[in-house]
């Protein structure tokens, strides 16, 4: 049996190799721990581009340093707390609270950038 059997999902991983001398079709079955991490990563990939864009535009407005730090650190903390809530299988309302905090920070930075542009 393969030593690293968790999360192997590609059909080519069922080929016999020195590290997988006895391939088993069960290796392709989903592993909930791996799927949870995959969902966390997808959530980050969906949200981080908006933060980077809003943050870059916000910096162009020449905001006070302390305010920018609070927003940037606040967003980072909200994402870390969202990760922790998701990783520990908290209820949706807990995850949604941390996600909402991060989203409101993005919206605030984007609105400030838009108002500054006009």
């Amino acid at each position: 049996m393969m030593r690293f059997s968790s999360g192997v999902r590609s059909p080519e991983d069922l080929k016999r190799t020195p590290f997988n001398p006895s391939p088993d079709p069960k290796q392709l079955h989903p592993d909930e721990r791996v799927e949870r991490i995959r969902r966390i990563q997808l959530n980050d990939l969906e949200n981080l581009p908006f933060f980077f864009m809003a943050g870059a535009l916000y910096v162009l407005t020449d905001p006070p340093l302390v305010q920018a730090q609070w927003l940037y650190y606040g967003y980072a903390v909200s994402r870390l707390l969202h990760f922790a809530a998701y990783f520990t299988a908290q209820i949706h309302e807990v995850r949604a609270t941390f996600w909402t905090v991060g989203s409101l920070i993005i919206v605030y930075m984007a609105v400030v950038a838009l108002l500054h542009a006009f």
Side-chain angles (χ1 to χ4, degrees), residues 1-9 26-29 31 33-34:
M1 184 73 171
M2 186 171 170
R3 285 177 43 193
F4 306 105
S5 62
S6 295
V8 177
R9 300 290 309 270
K26 287 189 236 176
Q27 291 172 216
L28 296 184
H29 293 175
D31 182 323
R33 296 172 303 159
V34 174

Side-chain angles (χ1 to χ4, degrees), residues 2 7-17 20 23-29:
M2 186 171 170
V8 177
R9 300 290 309 270
S10 301
E12 63 271 13
D13 292 335
L14 287 181
K15 293 180 180 176
R16 183 182 307 268
T17 68
N20 191 13
D24 183 352
K26 287 189 236 176
Q27 291 172 216
L28 296 184
H29 293 175

Side-chain angles (χ1 to χ4, degrees), residues 42-64:
L42 287 174
N43 188 274
D44 282 342
L45 287 173
E46 292 168 356
N47 289 284
L48 286 176
F50 295 111
F51 170 71
F52 290 137
M53 276 207 313
L57 293 173
Y58 179 72
V59 166
L60 294 176
T61 68
D62 197 27

